[in-house]
């Protein structure tokens, strides 16, 4: 889903460490000798310089995202591209230097994201990625880019999409214009160099702000990362294929369960975004190109309901919470539990006043972003697993590459957080070091209610995002805090009114008795006072509502 989460979430993570791409040569599994390759993955941040010291966290402003990238050679020029399982195209934008082309086309493509777009013509150039060489690879040579300042300021030049061929706009437009398959994606061209080999890629994403982690990552093609071969023993999670043939598959899998501090979310009573999703499961997209994670309001409330002082931010649609807040979050895929490191439960930013603020790594996603998804799991989740994305092996070894058919795609996830107690201690040590440099901001907004957590969890699990009131937490907090005072004042006013009424009646009776006649009886009358209609407050006409 690319890096557009930077624009959907203004409060995001700026990582200013840059580790030079370190190619780790493993036994090759992709050429005629069954060879493959893995590549070092580096972090890129939007700063003018790079800081290579591990653990030296130097955040800035309101940008706090992570992008995982690697270097490729395109037309004799080196470019740094983000690796993205949410797309399938290769594109670069480098107005100051152009790759040497093998061919040029008049095929125009405009890639539009959540904010901004990248447009240009499809060109062709030789590509080198590790040991792989592709002659005349189709790519989008971007001539006009809007809304991407943060992305390019971080030193990146484009994106390398590693999802299914059907998502490629370049391949689609070339096929429409020329009627051939010259626009194939990078991944398809690499796999077709050896049709008898496996067709998978894998990711091991480092954690930049972890004092116990060097922050390096790995991206492999047709090769397991050294020491993570046990991923082959994990369950195969089938990719949920689209319901219509004109849609392309994406890396969508089913979630069996979600637990927070031992409590389970009731997926069977949760209104699913996708009508075909099984009642007791949820549909998730795994996307390395999205830094955080996005979901519905009920799921978000459930994830952070155990933090009494968490405050929902209407503007950013996430939670602000204490920097030392943590929870034991567990996702269940294929019967396998995957724990979330506390450092991936919240993220921190610093302001110009040298103070720190912390926010939830999960936020409410728009309908445009989520679609039929219940949750979009970006790097905030994927840093907790070694992930393998298998596009399906070739089941037809014909010499004509275009006639090859792929088997069923699947995903494998190997948990990397084995001991949650150690992870918690790591989180506390790392976050404490951060707060020594930038004390936590004290200007917290009003706190969430600290009352009945079970009731809040039940409400979150049983209510769909369309019906859940995002304003309830603040209102509930006010009722908890000021309710007894308000009730006391009301009771006092009622008692005073009864006393005054009694005194008045007694005065009238005595006055009538002194005059020797009956007390005067007054016939009450009522004339409704019309109230003006207020637009923007539900559209209600109060004078009409109460005219009866």
């Amino acid at each position: 889903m690319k890096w557009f989460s930077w624009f959907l979430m203004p409060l995001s993570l700026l990582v200013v460490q840059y580790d030079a791409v370190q190619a780790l040569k493993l036994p090759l599994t992709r050429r005629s000798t069954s060879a493959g390759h893995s590549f070092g993955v580096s972090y890129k941040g939007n700063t003018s310089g790079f800081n290579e010291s591990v653990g030296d966290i130097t955040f800035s402003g309101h940008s706090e995202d992570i992008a995982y990238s690697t270097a490729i050679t395109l037309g004799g020029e080196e470019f740094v591209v983000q690796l993205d399982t949410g797309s399938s195209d290769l594109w670069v934008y480098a107005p100051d230097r152009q790759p040497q082309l093998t061919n040029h086309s008049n095929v125009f493509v405009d890639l539009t994201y959540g904010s901004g777009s990248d447009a240009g013509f499809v060109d062709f150039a030789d590509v080198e990625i590790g040991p792989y060489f592709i002659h005349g690879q189709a790519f989008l040579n971007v001539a006009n880019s809007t809304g991407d300042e943060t992305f390019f300021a971080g030193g990146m030049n484009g994106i390398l999409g590693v999802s299914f061929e059907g998502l490629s706009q370049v391949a689609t437009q070339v096929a429409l214009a020329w009627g051939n398959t010259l626009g194939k994606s990078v991944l398809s061209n690499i796999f077709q160099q050896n049709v008898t080999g496996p067709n998978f890629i894998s990711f091991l994403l480092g954690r930049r702000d972890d004092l116990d982690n060097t922050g390096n990552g790995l991206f492999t093609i047709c090769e397991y990362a050294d020491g993570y071969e046990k991923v082959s023993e994990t369950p195969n999670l089938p990719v949920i294929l689209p319901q219509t043939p004109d849609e392309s598959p994406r890396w969508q899998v089913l979630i069996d369960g979600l637990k927070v501090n031992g409590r389970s979310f009731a997926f069977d009573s949760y209104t699913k975004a996708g009508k075909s999703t099984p009642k007791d499961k949820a549909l998730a997209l795994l996307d390395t190109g999205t830094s955080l994670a996005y979901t519905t309001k009920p799921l978000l409330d459930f994830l952070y309901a155990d933090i009494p002082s968490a405050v929902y931010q209407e503007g950013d649609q996430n939670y602000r919470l204490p920097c030392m807040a943590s929870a034991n979050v567990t996702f269940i895929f294929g019967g396998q539990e995957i724990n979330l490191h506390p450092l991936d439960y919240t993220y921190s930013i610093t302001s110009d006043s040298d103070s720190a603020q912390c926010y939830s790594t999960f936020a409410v996603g728009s309908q445009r972003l989520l679609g039929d998804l219940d949750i979009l799991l970006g790097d905030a989740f994927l840093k907790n697993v070694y992930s393998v994305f298998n596009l399906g092996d070739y089941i037809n070894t014909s010499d004509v590459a275009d006639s090859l058919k792929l088997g069923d795609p699947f995903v494998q996830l190997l948990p990397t957080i084995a001991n949650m107690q150690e992870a918690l201690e790591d989180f506390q040590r790392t976050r404490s070091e951060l707060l020594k440099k930038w004390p936590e901001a004290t200007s917290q907004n009003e706190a969430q209610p600290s009352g009945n957590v079970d009731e809040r969890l039940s409400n979150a699990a049983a209510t769909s995002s369309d019906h859940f009131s995002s304003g309830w937490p603040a209102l509930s907090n006010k009722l908890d805090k000021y309710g007894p005072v308000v009730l006391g004042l009301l009771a006092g006013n009622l008692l005073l009114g009864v006393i005054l009424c009694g005194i008045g009646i007694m005065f009238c009776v005595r006055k009538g008795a002194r005059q020797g006649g009956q007390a005067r009886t007054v016939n009450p009358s009522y004339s409704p006072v019309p109230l003006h209609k207020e637009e923007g407050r539900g559209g209600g006409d109060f004078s009409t509502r109460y005219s009866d």
Side-chain angles (χ1 to χ4, degrees):
M1 196 73 62
K2 322 185 189 49
W3 35 265
F4 71 160
S5 62
W6 291 355
F7 305 104
L8 295 173
M9 175 69 67
L11 299 175
S12 44
L13 171 69
L14 166 63
V15 176
V16 299
Q17 171 183 341
Y18 172 72
D19 291 317
V21 176
Q22 300 174 5
L24 175 60
K25 295 183 178 180
L26 300 175
L28 303 180
T29 60
R30 196 51 182 150
R31 294 182 175 174
S32 59
T33 55
S34 298
H37 196 73
S38 64
F39 311 95
V41 179
S42 64
Y43 300 95
K44 303 294 292 186
N46 61 340
T47 61
S48 57
F50 301 106
N51 189 339
E52 296 181 324
S53 58
V54 176
D56 186 5
I57 307 170
T58 53
F59 300 143
S60 174
H62 291 291
S63 295
E64 206 185 76
D65 261 346
I66 293 175
Y68 294 90
S69 59
T70 193
I72 67 170
T73 300
L74 175 66
E77 295 282 342
E78 184 174 281
F79 296 96
V80 177
V81 291
Q82 182 184 14
L83 297 164
D84 181 22
T85 60
S87 66
S88 301
D89 287 312
L90 169 64
W91 66 262
V92 296
Y93 176 64
D96 58 330
R97 54 194 176 97
Q98 284 293 305
Q100 183 177 352
L101 303 181
T102 59
N103 201 354
H104 173 73
S105 82
N106 58 355
V107 178
F108 184 82
V109 175
D110 187 349
L111 300 176
T112 302
Y113 305 115
S115 176
S117 64
D118 297 282
F121 290 99
V122 175
D123 285 336
F124 300 82
D126 294 341
V127 171
E128 297 177 56
I129 306 178
Y132 298 106
F133 176 85
I134 305 171
H135 176 66
Q137 171 65 48
F139 72 101
L140 182 62
N141 198 350
V142 173
N144 183 33
S145 182
T146 62
D148 306 330
E149 291 81 5
T150 303
F151 181 76
F152 296 118
M156 281 178 286
N157 309 117
I159 287 178
L160 172 57
V162 288
S163 189
F164 296 90
E165 180 75 29
L167 289 178
S168 171
Q169 291 298 312
V170 169
T172 299
Q173 295 306 318
V174 168
L176 290 174
W178 293 354
N180 57 37
T181 60
L182 292 178
K184 278 186 174 297
S185 68
V186 170
L187 213 54
S188 293
N189 284 327
I190 288 177
F191 287 157
Q192 289 184 9
Q193 290 182 9
N194 181 4
V195 296
T196 62
N199 295 331
F200 73 84
I201 57 176
S202 78
F203 288 89
L204 181 64
L205 305 183
R207 187 176 294 103
R208 167 62 181 86
D209 56 348
D210 186 349
L211 294 183
D212 283 356
N213 194 304
T214 61
N216 292 326
L218 281 176
F219 166 59
T220 75
I221 298 177
C222 310
E223 172 79 21
Y224 294 133
D226 193 21
Y228 290 89
E229 293 81 4
K230 288 188 64 176
V231 69
S232 63
E233 302 173 10
T234 62
N236 289 356
L237 306 177
V239 170
I240 304 304
L241 301 176
Q243 299 297 307
T244 58
D246 58 335
E247 294 182 69
S248 175
R250 298 189 295 168
W251 293 115
Q252 298 179 154
V253 295
L254 292 176
I255 300 178
D256 295 338
L258 170 62
K259 296 190 295 184
V260 178
N261 294 334
R263 297 183 178 88
S264 296
F265 187 82
F267 282 129
D268 56 351
S269 62
Y270 168 67
T271 301
K272 305 295 191 304
K275 303 302 181 183
S276 61
T277 303
K279 183 178 181 181
D280 59 342
K281 300 181 188 299
L283 184 63
L285 173 68
L286 306 178
D287 186 0
T288 61
T290 297
S291 306
L292 303 179
Y294 298 90
T295 185
T296 61
K297 187 62 163 58
L299 276 171
L300 180 69
D301 290 332
F302 179 81
L303 283 164
Y304 295 92
D306 275 354
I307 310 299
S309 53
V311 180
Y312 183 68
Q313 309 289 302
E314 289 286 353
D316 298 319
Q317 295 186 303
N318 66 348
Y319 276 96
R320 179 178 174 182
L321 20 65
C323 288
M324 296 303 295
S326 64
N328 193 335
V329 179
T330 303
F331 289 88
I332 304 174
F333 291 86
Q336 177 182 234
E337 293 190 348
I338 297 175
N339 295 320
L340 190 74
H341 197 291
L343 283 171
D344 301 321
Y345 182 67
T346 64
Y347 70 90
S348 60
I349 66 170
T350 58
S351 65
D352 294 335
S353 58
D354 295 330
S355 61
Q357 299 175 12
C358 293
Y359 298 86
S360 62
T361 55
F362 289 75
V364 174
S366 65
Q367 175 61 34
R368 178 183 176 184
L369 174 63
L370 292 179
D372 289 340
L373 298 171
D374 297 301
I375 186 167
L376 193 163
L377 294 175
D379 299 331
F381 168 80
L382 292 170
K383 283 183 286 186
N384 297 271
V385 295
Y386 172 59
S387 53
V388 171
F389 298 85
N390 194 312
L391 285 87
D393 295 339
Y394 287 118
I395 56 178
N396 180 356
T397 57
S398 169
D399 291 336
V400 182
D402 292 342
S403 67
L404 297 176
K405 303 298 182 183
L406 291 173
D408 294 332
F410 60 89
V411 172
Q412 291 173 304
L413 302 174
L414 179 66
T416 56
I417 310 299
N419 190 316
M420 279 302 293
Q421 182 58 38
E422 292 181 359
L424 178 60
E425 293 172 358
D426 177 27
F427 160 77
Q428 292 172 340
R429 182 169 57 255
T430 301
R431 194 58 62 81
S432 295
E433 287 298 317
L434 170 71
L435 296 180
K436 287 180 182 179
K437 299 179 181 180
W438 294 280
E440 187 166 5
T442 57
S443 58
Q444 285 276 6
N445 295 337
E446 57 188 1
Q448 285 284 86
S450 56
N452 191 329
V453 173
D454 289 325
E455 181 178 353
R456 292 163 61 201
L457 293 173
S458 176
N459 290 337
T463 311
S464 72
S465 58
D466 293 334
H467 299 89
F468 192 89
S469 173
S470 60
W472 165 247
L475 176 61
S476 176
N477 177 59
K478 293 177 180 178
L479 291 176
D480 287 344
K481 185 174 181 179
Y482 301 111
V485 177
V486 174
L487 290 177
L489 291 174
L490 289 176
N493 288 336
L494 180 61
L495 178 61
L496 180 61
V498 171
I499 294 174
L500 292 176
C501 183
I503 293 175
I505 293 174
M506 183 173 62
F507 176 78
C508 292
V509 170
R510 289 181 178 179
K511 181 178 181 180
R514 287 197 302 269
Q515 293 176 350
Q518 291 183 334
R520 181 171 176 262
T521 301
V522 180
N523 292 323
S525 63
Y526 170 71
S527 177
V529 178
L531 301 179
H532 294 289
K533 180 177 180 180
E534 293 185 293
E535 296 182 1
R537 296 180 180 272
D541 188 338
F542 293 95
S543 62
T544 302
R545 289 184 185 177
Y546 293 97
S547 61
D548 295 334

